[in-house]
Amino acid sequence: MYFDENEPQSVRDARFAAERAERRAARRAARNSEPLDSRTAHLGAAITATALLLLTWFGRTVASAVVGGIFLLWFSAALARARADGDHGRHALQRAYNATFGWADSF
């Protein structure tokens, strides 16, 4: 949202309303679009969970915490990016999940 202090209040209100309507239309379009495919992301999450479990099982708790923290940081960054793009709720979580664990698609 752009703010100009010399702009009349009525013009500013109209511009803000138009910007809100545009964002609302983008959210509706994203919500009504085809759902994201998360099959490969599920595989990536399973591989990651197995690796973390094995690291912990063999007494490498620090390594497990570091790897888990990296994935948590990556998920947080992907979620912030999805929110910045205007996605909200479940669709934003799905995009972040796919960005974090979708690397299993290369297998």
Side-chain angles (χ1 to χ4, degrees):
M1 291 185 178
Y2 173 72
F3 180 75
D4 181 12
E5 61 186 39
N6 298 323
E7 184 177 50
Q9 184 67 35
S10 60
V11 174
R12 185 178 307 138
D13 290 342
R15 187 169 43 80
F16 286 167
E19 290 174 359
R20 282 192 302 268
E22 183 180 325
R23 286 193 307 269
R24 190 176 308 118
R27 281 195 306 270
R28 281 193 188 124
R31 213 175 318 147
N32 293 333
S33 67
E34 185 175 319
L36 296 173
D37 183 24
S38 297
R39 282 181 283 182
T40 56
H42 293 327
L43 178 62
I47 293 170
T48 303
T50 303
L52 290 174
L53 182 70
L54 288 174
L55 282 172
T56 305
W57 183 268
F58 290 113
R60 306 287 188 208
T61 55
V62 174
S64 177
V66 168
V67 172
I70 289 170
F71 276 98
L72 178 64
L73 182 66
W74 187 264
F75 181 81
S76 299
L79 184 60
R81 172 65 185 197
R83 295 280 299 181
D85 285 345
D87 282 342
H88 297 283
R90 183 176 293 165
H91 194 260
L93 288 173
Q94 278 185 314
R95 278 188 56 193
Y97 181 74
N98 285 345
T100 305
F101 299 110
W103 52 263
D105 191 27
S106 62
F107 287 123

